[in-house]
């Protein structure tokens, strides 16, 4: 693929019954549309990746891009792709141990190719509507309302979304913009990646997306560490408890992500605008923010 573009969307669907005695249902997700086309145009497949968090969504999408780039069509093979193994490689280690809510689902033309973990079934409905509605995503929401009505349930569906990541890659340059909104504030930055040497191998979309996943996870972990540190300081977490172990493992994981990003910067020329995010400064800010709503144990 000479040029590749994608975005990561954070979504929240609120399904409000017109019968006011019933509570609204909420479905949240991170979503990437993954259009894959071979250089000769013969292989042309579009997948939808949905997961519980942003960095896992990026890593799973990167794994699919890599599989397609190196081996061609993902769907038409004598030996089918092992989706379960691919997902296991994405979440192995820290994510698998400390995130009980992690889930993933992969769609192709509204059909589920792979699913793992517990997610809201409404997401299946919206993907089926999108596939049958020629990828007019907003119109698919109206179609979903009609499906509920035919089933005897009158609802209004509200859709809130924001773009968390935008990526554009070419063989010799890649641009990535990240916008993360959290309780402690909004983190926004862009970075451009260029080949360091004329003889260096070309830039690949899956390499850039994997690096973006490291940034996304590091930002999230910074908040987690700051919050847990404040709880420890306030005596809300006991020594040798599982939460204390999570705190220590989170610090180790953040250190590993920081080293991975530095390794990426050593391989390529990376230019940030504004400055590169300082994760340890983010930990401090998250810790201070946690102090505004937590109280010490008596």
């Amino acid at each position: 693929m000479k040029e590749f573009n994608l975005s990561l969307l954070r979504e929240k669907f609120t399904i409000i019954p017109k019968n006011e005695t019933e509570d609204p249902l909420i479905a949240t997700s991170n979503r990437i549309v993954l259009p894959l086309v071979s250089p000769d145009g013969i292989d042309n497949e579009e997948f939808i990746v949905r997961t519980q968090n942003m960095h896992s969504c990026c890593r799973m999408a990167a794994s699919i891009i890599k599989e397609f780039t190196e081996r061609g069509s993902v769907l038409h093979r004598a030996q089918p792709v092992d989706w379960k193994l691919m997902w296991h490689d994405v979440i192995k280690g820290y994510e698998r141990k400390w995130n009980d809510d992690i889930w993933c689902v992969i769609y192709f033309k509204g059909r589920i190719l792979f699913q793992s973990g517990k997610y809201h079934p409404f997401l299946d409905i919206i993907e089926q509507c999108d596939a049958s509605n020629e990828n007019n995503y907003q119109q698919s929401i109206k179609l979903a309302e009609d499906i509920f009505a035919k089933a005897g349930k009158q609802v209004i569906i509200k859709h809130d979304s924001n773009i968390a990541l935008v990526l554009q890659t070419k063989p010799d340059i890649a641009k990535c913009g990240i916008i993360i909104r959290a309780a402690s504030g909004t983190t926004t930055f862009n970075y451009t990646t260029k080949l360091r040497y004329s003889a260096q191998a070309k830039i690949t979309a899956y390499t850039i997306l994997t690096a973006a996943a490291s940034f996304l996870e590091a930002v999230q972990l910074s908040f987690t560490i700051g919050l847990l540190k404040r709880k420890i300081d306030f005596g809300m977490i006991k020594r040798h408890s599982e939460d204390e172990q999570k705190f220590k493992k989170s610090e180790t994981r953040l250190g590993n992500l920081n080293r991975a990003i530095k390794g990426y910067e050593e391989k390529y020329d990376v230019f940030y605008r504004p400055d590169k995010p300082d994760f340890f400064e983010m930990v401090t800010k998250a810790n201070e923010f946690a102090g505004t709503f937590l109280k010490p144990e008596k």
Side-chain angles (χ1 to χ4, degrees), residues 33 38 59 110 171 293:
V33 178
S38 61
R59 289 197 180 103
F293 62 87

Side-chain angles (χ1 to χ4, degrees), residues 86-120:
M86 190 184 295
W87 177 238
H88 179 271
D89 286 343
V90 165
I91 63 170
K92 64 183 179 183
Y94 180 89
E95 196 79 44
R96 191 176 186 87
K97 170 65 178 176
W98 297 108
N99 189 353
D100 294 334
D101 298 324
I102 193 71
W103 58 264
C104 173
V105 57
I106 310 294
Y107 300 92
F108 177 76
K109 294 184 177 180
R111 175 170 58 91
I112 297 173
L113 295 178
F114 169 77
Q115 65 182 55
S116 175
K118 186 177 180 180
Y119 65 96
H120 201 293

Side-chain angles (χ1 to χ4, degrees), residues 125-192:
I125 295 174
I126 202 70
E127 290 301 342
Q128 290 165 12
C129 292
D130 185 45
S132 63
N133 205 42
E134 296 183 354
N135 296 319
N136 186 337
Y137 200 50
Q138 291 304 314
Q139 187 60 30
S140 298
I141 296 170
K142 178 62 173 66
L143 185 57
E145 290 178 342
D146 294 341
I147 290 175
F148 275 97
K150 289 178 182 178
K153 192 175 184 67
Q154 300 293 326
V155 301
I156 297 172
I157 300 173
K158 291 187 177 180
H159 179 222
D160 298 313
S161 66
N162 57 76
I163 294 175
L165 177 145
V166 177
L167 179 72
Q168 179 189 62
T169 67
K170 296 180 180 180
D172 59 345
I173 188 172
K175 297 180 180 180
C176 185
I178 293 178
I179 306 171
I180 307 173
R181 296 177 177 88
S184 58
T186 300
T187 299
T188 303
F189 65 98
N190 303 282
Y191 62 96
T192 300

Side-chain angles (χ1 to χ4, degrees), residues 55 91-99 217 220-221 224-225 228 245-251 253:
H55 53 271
I91 63 170
K92 64 183 179 183
Y94 180 89
E95 196 79 44
R96 191 176 186 87
K97 170 65 178 176
W98 297 108
N99 189 353
E217 185 180 2
Q220 179 180 302
L221 268 179
T224 298
I225 293 168
L228 291 174
Q245 186 182 0
K246 180 179 180 180
F247 169 71
K248 292 178 179 179
K249 294 295 184 182
S250 296
E251 285 192 314
R253 177 63 178 167

Side-chain angles (χ1 to χ4, degrees), residues 8 10 29-31 50-59 87 90-91 95 99 101-103 216-217 220:
L8 168 66
R10 299 184 69 181
S29 172
N30 295 280
R31 183 181 192 254
R50 286 190 183 270
T51 67
Q52 180 250 353
N53 60 37
M54 294 181 289
H55 53 271
S56 294
C57 196
C58 288
R59 289 197 180 103
W87 177 238
V90 165
I91 63 170
E95 196 79 44
N99 189 353
D101 298 324
I102 193 71
W103 58 264
L216 290 167
E217 185 180 2
Q220 179 180 302

